[in-house]
Amino acid sequence: MTTDVKPSGLVQGTLHMLILKTLTLEPLHGYGIGVRLEQISRGAFQVNAGSLFPALRRLERDGLISGEWQVTENNRRAKYYSLTPSGRAQLRRETRDWEAQTTAIARILRASLGEL
Amino acid sequence: MAPIRRLLAGLKALIRGHRVEQELDEELRAYVETSVEAKIRAGMKRDDAVRAAQIQSGSFEAVKDRVRDVGWESVVETAWRDVRYAARMLRRHPIWTATATLSLAVGIGLNAAVFSVVDWVLLRPLPYPASHELVHIFTAGRAPVTGPSGVTHEEFVTFSRAATVRQAIGFSNTTRILSGGAIEPVHVMVSRVVGDFFATFGVHPDVGRPFGQEEMAAGMPVVVLGHELWQRSFVADPQVVGRTVLIDGAPHTIIGVMPAGRGYPRDAEVWRPLTPAERASDDRDLSMVARLGSGVTSATASVELGTLAQAVSNDIRTAWVDEVRRTDVGSIKASLQALFAAAMLTLLIACANVAALVGAKNGDRIGEVAIRGALGASPGRIFRQLITESLMLAIAGGLLGLLFGRWALSALVAMAPVSVPRLTEISLDGRILAIGLVSTGVDRPGCRPRTGTSASRRDANVGAKPVGMASYDAAAARPSRVSAGTSRRGGRSGEWCWTSHSQSLPARDPQSRLRSGSAHRCPCISAATIQRRRAAAPSRAGRRERECSWCRGSCFFNAAPDAGIGSTYVSERGQRR
């Protein structure tokens, strides 16, 4: 499934959270983040450049990630993004909120007829 | 904290705009190239890998636009770019710009000047406290019927005691020679007054004191100078009180100076009390102004004064009141209204002129707008550009209109009768100037729906019919032609558009190339041979500005950064020269 990530609403917030999560292990460049998201979601999410780069710019501006130019394994210059302490804290908050939301939604969806 | 960080980041991006843009470009290239390498490693052929990576990443320009839009500084950058572009457009058509600017200047300036006069004279209250209470009192014969006239001193005294009248003055103007001391003899309008002038009008002298009751009762030789006379003949001397002047040779003592613009009647320059001899006259040469009691209407006062007039004249005469505000402008009201209507008409004609000029010019811009749309510019973006051009023209017209308006206002004031109220206070009205600017500013895009958003929705082929569109192979730096119909705004067929990559074409006259068939046709006019505009310096947006030698620099291109001289492109903008 290809995500057509829209600039507003839950999807946008989710993309930010997912990017933060992919960077918890190690710094990655733009393409690496997209591939990592696709791998972890087992192909469910394919984030194109038009969604990925604006999200990276926004996160960097908010101080949640920081970018640094490095050389890739193929001897090519690329901008590697890493989580900042603020980003790590933000990820914790968003994960907590997300879990609370999904739990509540799941509870509603699983409600029996009697409970409704 | 986050807003401050965003503000700082925006400022940093504005300062390091070129570098930020380069980094973004490099990052996107790295993204595509890494993607291509990954696909080749996965077993794809290079060409297929490039095409797949390109389709996957989408239009570079569209991605960059979305990234740029993240920060607030993109608004500033876009606005600044629009301003520069608009300035360039206006500069390239000096006669057109001058005609439109002059039309606007005349319309805005004249309108502002006339409205300023109308506002100050007709719309604003008189410059006295509770000016609606001030009325003129007129009398007229009932048998035989005569026209409105002034009052005798006897009638003045009677009317002053009416229950509906709080204070009143009578005055009679005459021209006299003022001389004495260090001043040159000069003809001045002397107003001989009876009653409490300053209390009636609710004003106080700027310098000195008002007339005392005894001075008025005895008709003593004291005068109050008009403000302009004081400035003109007495050099605004604050010690003027107590000095003696001669009025037709008779010595009078100056006791005060009237506040600026508050004297009444307005053409008077000296006020002195009516003498006992002048009071004895039966002539109806006294104009009477009264301040009605609080809450008393003109109709009520007219009934009472009419009754009094009939009583003292054995039913021969009657009297009535009319608001000073109305009687003062009565003679010029119709003229001012007609002048205002004419000025409005002038502004409408100016707007229509500019709209016609724009309409005539728009025919040349359909191609430009269509191709800008095909290159990814949204209808809103194009509309903003058009609005910016309109505003620039409106601002230029407004500034010139300001000068013209000041001149027109001076002329109007100079031609107006002295009795017009607030004449010395009239100044150019900024509100009407702003309204003129806004109305003419929004007038232009409204007149061009076809070249505004609708043209941007048209197929780019409309603007570039003779040329094909090509996608750009970033890895191989060579064009691969695709059909023109496949290119759409924000589409995936590539961000660069050109017709041929002809490095080997000789750099000769484009017209001869056109004749020989070696050059493709330019969408803006007819031919396009591209030469470097500047020494390969990329613009802030990472593009290279190139000029069409046929259009002589009117075209700007989204050119591939590493494409060489002699390449032929679809231009973004063209103008017939």
Side-chain angles (χ1 to χ4, degrees), chain B residues 500 502 505-506 508-521 528-529 566 568:
Chain B
S500 67
S502 47
L505 284 175
R508 50 181 178 153
D509 178 30
Q511 294 186 51
S512 62
R513 283 188 55 196
L514 181 66
R515 281 195 297 274
S516 68
S518 62
H520 289 267
R521 296 175 72 81
T529 300
T568 307

PDB file of all heavy atoms in Angstrom, chain B residues 500 502 505-506 508-521 528-529 566 568:
ATOM      1  N   SER B 500      15.250  20.087 -27.704  1.00  0.00           N
ATOM      2  CA  SER B 500      16.378  19.322 -28.232  1.00  0.00           C
ATOM      3  C   SER B 500      17.626  19.678 -27.448  1.00  0.00           C
ATOM      4  O   SER B 500      17.750  20.774 -26.933  1.00  0.00           O
ATOM      5  CB  SER B 500      16.597  19.646 -29.712  1.00  0.00           C
ATOM      6  OG  SER B 500      17.013  20.981 -29.837  1.00  0.00           O
ATOM      7  N   SER B 502      21.020  20.351 -28.223  1.00  0.00           N
ATOM      8  CA  SER B 502      21.809  20.535 -29.443  1.00  0.00           C
ATOM      9  C   SER B 502      23.060  21.332 -29.145  1.00  0.00           C
ATOM     10  O   SER B 502      23.185  22.470 -29.528  1.00  0.00           O
ATOM     11  CB  SER B 502      20.961  21.247 -30.489  1.00  0.00           C
ATOM     12  OG  SER B 502      20.317  22.354 -29.903  1.00  0.00           O
ATOM     13  N   LEU B 505      24.845  22.842 -32.147  1.00  0.00           N
ATOM     14  CA  LEU B 505      24.277  23.875 -33.016  1.00  0.00           C
ATOM     15  C   LEU B 505      25.140  25.124 -32.991  1.00  0.00           C
ATOM     16  O   LEU B 505      25.585  25.543 -31.930  1.00  0.00           O
ATOM     17  CB  LEU B 505      22.862  24.234 -32.558  1.00  0.00           C
ATOM     18  CG  LEU B 505      21.775  23.227 -32.911  1.00  0.00           C
ATOM     19  CD1 LEU B 505      20.463  23.657 -32.284  1.00  0.00           C
ATOM     20  CD2 LEU B 505      21.630  23.111 -34.418  1.00  0.00           C
ATOM     21  N   PRO B 506      25.384  25.710 -34.121  1.00  0.00           N
ATOM     22  CA  PRO B 506      26.200  26.923 -34.144  1.00  0.00           C
ATOM     23  C   PRO B 506      25.456  28.090 -33.515  1.00  0.00           C
ATOM     24  O   PRO B 506      24.243  28.206 -33.670  1.00  0.00           O
ATOM     25  CB  PRO B 506      26.433  27.181 -35.644  1.00  0.00           C
ATOM     26  CG  PRO B 506      25.289  26.498 -36.334  1.00  0.00           C
ATOM     27  CD  PRO B 506      24.941  25.328 -35.479  1.00  0.00           C
ATOM     28  N   ARG B 508      24.476  31.098 -33.958  1.00  0.00           N
ATOM     29  CA  ARG B 508      24.274  32.196 -34.905  1.00  0.00           C
ATOM     30  C   ARG B 508      22.901  32.808 -34.669  1.00  0.00           C
ATOM     31  O   ARG B 508      22.176  32.413 -33.765  1.00  0.00           O
ATOM     32  CB  ARG B 508      24.449  31.707 -36.330  1.00  0.00           C
ATOM     33  CG  ARG B 508      23.657  30.470 -36.628  1.00  0.00           C
ATOM     34  CD  ARG B 508      23.899  30.014 -38.056  1.00  0.00           C
ATOM     35  NE  ARG B 508      23.152  28.778 -38.276  1.00  0.00           N
ATOM     36  CZ  ARG B 508      22.724  28.404 -39.446  1.00  0.00           C
ATOM     37  NH1 ARG B 508      22.937  29.136 -40.493  1.00  0.00           N
ATOM     38  NH2 ARG B 508      22.065  27.267 -39.578  1.00  0.00           N
ATOM     39  N   ASP B 509      22.568  33.736 -35.497  1.00  0.00           N
ATOM     40  CA  ASP B 509      21.344  34.487 -35.326  1.00  0.00           C
ATOM     41  C   ASP B 509      20.128  33.552 -35.314  1.00  0.00           C
ATOM     42  O   ASP B 509      19.959  32.735 -36.219  1.00  0.00           O
ATOM     43  CB  ASP B 509      21.229  35.484 -36.484  1.00  0.00           C
ATOM     44  CG  ASP B 509      19.938  36.270 -36.394  1.00  0.00           C
ATOM     45  OD1 ASP B 509      19.480  36.474 -35.275  1.00  0.00           O
ATOM     46  OD2 ASP B 509      19.432  36.671 -37.453  1.00  0.00           O
ATOM     47  N   PRO B 510      19.302  33.645 -34.293  1.00  0.00           N
ATOM     48  CA  PRO B 510      18.166  32.732 -34.194  1.00  0.00           C
ATOM     49  C   PRO B 510      17.195  32.857 -35.354  1.00  0.00           C
ATOM     50  O   PRO B 510      16.538  31.893 -35.722  1.00  0.00           O
ATOM     51  CB  PRO B 510      17.507  33.144 -32.888  1.00  0.00           C
ATOM     52  CG  PRO B 510      18.010  34.502 -32.586  1.00  0.00           C
ATOM     53  CD  PRO B 510      19.358  34.562 -33.181  1.00  0.00           C
ATOM     54  N   GLN B 511      17.119  34.041 -35.925  1.00  0.00           N
ATOM     55  CA  GLN B 511      16.184  34.199 -37.032  1.00  0.00           C
ATOM     56  C   GLN B 511      16.645  33.385 -38.237  1.00  0.00           C
ATOM     57  O   GLN B 511      15.847  32.739 -38.907  1.00  0.00           O
ATOM     58  CB  GLN B 511      16.068  35.674 -37.407  1.00  0.00           C
ATOM     59  CG  GLN B 511      15.440  36.475 -36.276  1.00  0.00           C
ATOM     60  CD  GLN B 511      15.192  37.903 -36.706  1.00  0.00           C
ATOM     61  OE1 GLN B 511      14.602  38.143 -37.742  1.00  0.00           O
ATOM     62  NE2 GLN B 511      15.657  38.841 -35.925  1.00  0.00           N
ATOM     63  N   SER B 512      17.976  33.426 -38.459  1.00  0.00           N
ATOM     64  CA  SER B 512      18.474  32.651 -39.585  1.00  0.00           C
ATOM     65  C   SER B 512      18.340  31.160 -39.288  1.00  0.00           C
ATOM     66  O   SER B 512      18.065  30.359 -40.176  1.00  0.00           O
ATOM     67  CB  SER B 512      19.927  33.017 -39.878  1.00  0.00           C
ATOM     68  OG  SER B 512      20.733  32.706 -38.758  1.00  0.00           O
ATOM     69  N   ARG B 513      18.512  30.818 -37.997  1.00  0.00           N
ATOM     70  CA  ARG B 513      18.344  29.414 -37.618  1.00  0.00           C
ATOM     71  C   ARG B 513      16.904  28.995 -37.829  1.00  0.00           C
ATOM     72  O   ARG B 513      16.621  27.885 -38.243  1.00  0.00           O
ATOM     73  CB  ARG B 513      18.743  29.214 -36.164  1.00  0.00           C
ATOM     74  CG  ARG B 513      20.241  29.193 -35.969  1.00  0.00           C
ATOM     75  CD  ARG B 513      20.578  28.799 -34.566  1.00  0.00           C
ATOM     76  NE  ARG B 513      19.955  27.530 -34.218  1.00  0.00           N
ATOM     77  CZ  ARG B 513      19.833  27.119 -32.983  1.00  0.00           C
ATOM     78  NH1 ARG B 513      20.254  27.847 -31.992  1.00  0.00           N
ATOM     79  NH2 ARG B 513      19.287  25.959 -32.715  1.00  0.00           N
ATOM     80  N   LEU B 514      15.993  29.910 -37.518  1.00  0.00           N
ATOM     81  CA  LEU B 514      14.587  29.603 -37.701  1.00  0.00           C
ATOM     82  C   LEU B 514      14.293  29.383 -39.176  1.00  0.00           C
ATOM     83  O   LEU B 514      13.603  28.450 -39.564  1.00  0.00           O
ATOM     84  CB  LEU B 514      13.741  30.749 -37.157  1.00  0.00           C
ATOM     85  CG  LEU B 514      12.230  30.537 -37.268  1.00  0.00           C
ATOM     86  CD1 LEU B 514      11.796  29.390 -36.377  1.00  0.00           C
ATOM     87  CD2 LEU B 514      11.491  31.808 -36.895  1.00  0.00           C
ATOM     88  N   ARG B 515      14.863  30.277 -39.997  1.00  0.00           N
ATOM     89  CA  ARG B 515      14.632  30.158 -41.441  1.00  0.00           C
ATOM     90  C   ARG B 515      15.214  28.852 -41.972  1.00  0.00           C
ATOM     91  O   ARG B 515      14.637  28.192 -42.794  1.00  0.00           O
ATOM     92  CB  ARG B 515      15.261  31.360 -42.150  1.00  0.00           C
ATOM     93  CG  ARG B 515      14.403  32.621 -42.066  1.00  0.00           C
ATOM     94  CD  ARG B 515      14.884  33.654 -43.075  1.00  0.00           C
ATOM     95  NE  ARG B 515      16.244  34.098 -42.800  1.00  0.00           N
ATOM     96  CZ  ARG B 515      16.527  35.090 -41.950  1.00  0.00           C
ATOM     97  NH1 ARG B 515      15.566  35.702 -41.289  1.00  0.00           N
ATOM     98  NH2 ARG B 515      17.768  35.451 -41.755  1.00  0.00           N
ATOM     99  N   SER B 516      16.380  28.511 -41.445  1.00  0.00           N
ATOM    100  CA  SER B 516      17.025  27.298 -41.939  1.00  0.00           C
ATOM    101  C   SER B 516      16.416  26.043 -41.336  1.00  0.00           C
ATOM    102  O   SER B 516      16.740  24.945 -41.728  1.00  0.00           O
ATOM    103  CB  SER B 516      18.520  27.338 -41.611  1.00  0.00           C
ATOM    104  OG  SER B 516      18.695  27.229 -40.210  1.00  0.00           O
ATOM    105  N   GLY B 517      15.548  26.235 -40.351  1.00  0.00           N
ATOM    106  CA  GLY B 517      14.867  25.088 -39.763  1.00  0.00           C
ATOM    107  C   GLY B 517      15.655  24.414 -38.688  1.00  0.00           C
ATOM    108  O   GLY B 517      15.280  23.352 -38.210  1.00  0.00           O
ATOM    109  N   SER B 518      16.783  24.986 -38.283  1.00  0.00           N
ATOM    110  CA  SER B 518      17.589  24.331 -37.261  1.00  0.00           C
ATOM    111  C   SER B 518      17.148  24.703 -35.853  1.00  0.00           C
ATOM    112  O   SER B 518      17.640  24.150 -34.889  1.00  0.00           O
ATOM    113  CB  SER B 518      19.065  24.688 -37.448  1.00  0.00           C
ATOM    114  OG  SER B 518      19.226  26.077 -37.296  1.00  0.00           O
ATOM    115  N   ALA B 519      16.270  25.693 -35.753  1.00  0.00           N
ATOM    116  CA  ALA B 519      15.798  26.072 -34.416  1.00  0.00           C
ATOM    117  C   ALA B 519      14.325  25.738 -34.275  1.00  0.00           C
ATOM    118  O   ALA B 519      13.569  25.845 -35.232  1.00  0.00           O
ATOM    119  CB  ALA B 519      16.009  27.557 -34.202  1.00  0.00           C
ATOM    120  N   HIS B 520      13.971  25.337 -33.087  1.00  0.00           N
ATOM    121  CA  HIS B 520      12.557  25.084 -32.823  1.00  0.00           C
ATOM    122  C   HIS B 520      11.875  26.406 -32.521  1.00  0.00           C
ATOM    123  O   HIS B 520      12.515  27.404 -32.236  1.00  0.00           O
ATOM    124  CB  HIS B 520      12.406  24.126 -31.643  1.00  0.00           C
ATOM    125  CG  HIS B 520      12.822  22.750 -31.990  1.00  0.00           C
ATOM    126  ND1 HIS B 520      11.947  21.802 -32.450  1.00  0.00           N
ATOM    127  CD2 HIS B 520      14.049  22.178 -31.983  1.00  0.00           C
ATOM    128  CE1 HIS B 520      12.602  20.688 -32.690  1.00  0.00           C
ATOM    129  NE2 HIS B 520      13.892  20.881 -32.410  1.00  0.00           N
ATOM    130  N   ARG B 521      10.596  26.371 -32.527  1.00  0.00           N
ATOM    131  CA  ARG B 521       9.861  27.617 -32.322  1.00  0.00           C
ATOM    132  C   ARG B 521       9.667  27.865 -30.831  1.00  0.00           C
ATOM    133  O   ARG B 521       9.409  26.959 -30.064  1.00  0.00           O
ATOM    134  CB  ARG B 521       8.500  27.542 -33.000  1.00  0.00           C
ATOM    135  CG  ARG B 521       8.635  27.411 -34.511  1.00  0.00           C
ATOM    136  CD  ARG B 521       7.284  27.222 -35.140  1.00  0.00           C
ATOM    137  NE  ARG B 521       6.497  28.446 -35.104  1.00  0.00           N
ATOM    138  CZ  ARG B 521       6.640  29.432 -35.978  1.00  0.00           C
ATOM    139  NH1 ARG B 521       7.537  29.332 -36.924  1.00  0.00           N
ATOM    140  NH2 ARG B 521       5.893  30.506 -35.900  1.00  0.00           N
ATOM    141  N   ALA B 528      13.292  30.050 -30.464  1.00  0.00           N
ATOM    142  CA  ALA B 528      13.985  30.035 -29.179  1.00  0.00           C
ATOM    143  C   ALA B 528      15.338  29.391 -29.314  1.00  0.00           C
ATOM    144  O   ALA B 528      15.453  28.195 -29.474  1.00  0.00           O
ATOM    145  CB  ALA B 528      13.167  29.294 -28.149  1.00  0.00           C
ATOM    146  N   THR B 529      16.331  30.216 -29.272  1.00  0.00           N
ATOM    147  CA  THR B 529      17.680  29.688 -29.131  1.00  0.00           C
ATOM    148  C   THR B 529      18.167  30.202 -27.790  1.00  0.00           C
ATOM    149  O   THR B 529      18.063  31.390 -27.501  1.00  0.00           O
ATOM    150  CB  THR B 529      18.615  30.224 -30.224  1.00  0.00           C
ATOM    151  OG1 THR B 529      18.086  29.819 -31.465  1.00  0.00           O
ATOM    152  CG2 THR B 529      20.003  29.652 -30.057  1.00  0.00           C
ATOM    153  N   GLY B 566      23.124  26.538 -26.134  1.00  0.00           N
ATOM    154  CA  GLY B 566      22.620  26.070 -27.408  1.00  0.00           C
ATOM    155  C   GLY B 566      21.433  25.148 -27.257  1.00  0.00           C
ATOM    156  O   GLY B 566      20.744  24.857 -28.221  1.00  0.00           O
ATOM    157  N   THR B 568      17.742  24.080 -26.507  1.00  0.00           N
ATOM    158  CA  THR B 568      16.505  24.812 -26.764  1.00  0.00           C
ATOM    159  C   THR B 568      15.455  24.378 -25.764  1.00  0.00           C
ATOM    160  O   THR B 568      15.256  23.192 -25.546  1.00  0.00           O
ATOM    161  CB  THR B 568      16.015  24.534 -28.191  1.00  0.00           C
ATOM    162  OG1 THR B 568      17.077  24.817 -29.074  1.00  0.00           O
ATOM    163  CG2 THR B 568      14.837  25.406 -28.524  1.00  0.00           C
TER     164      THR B 568
END
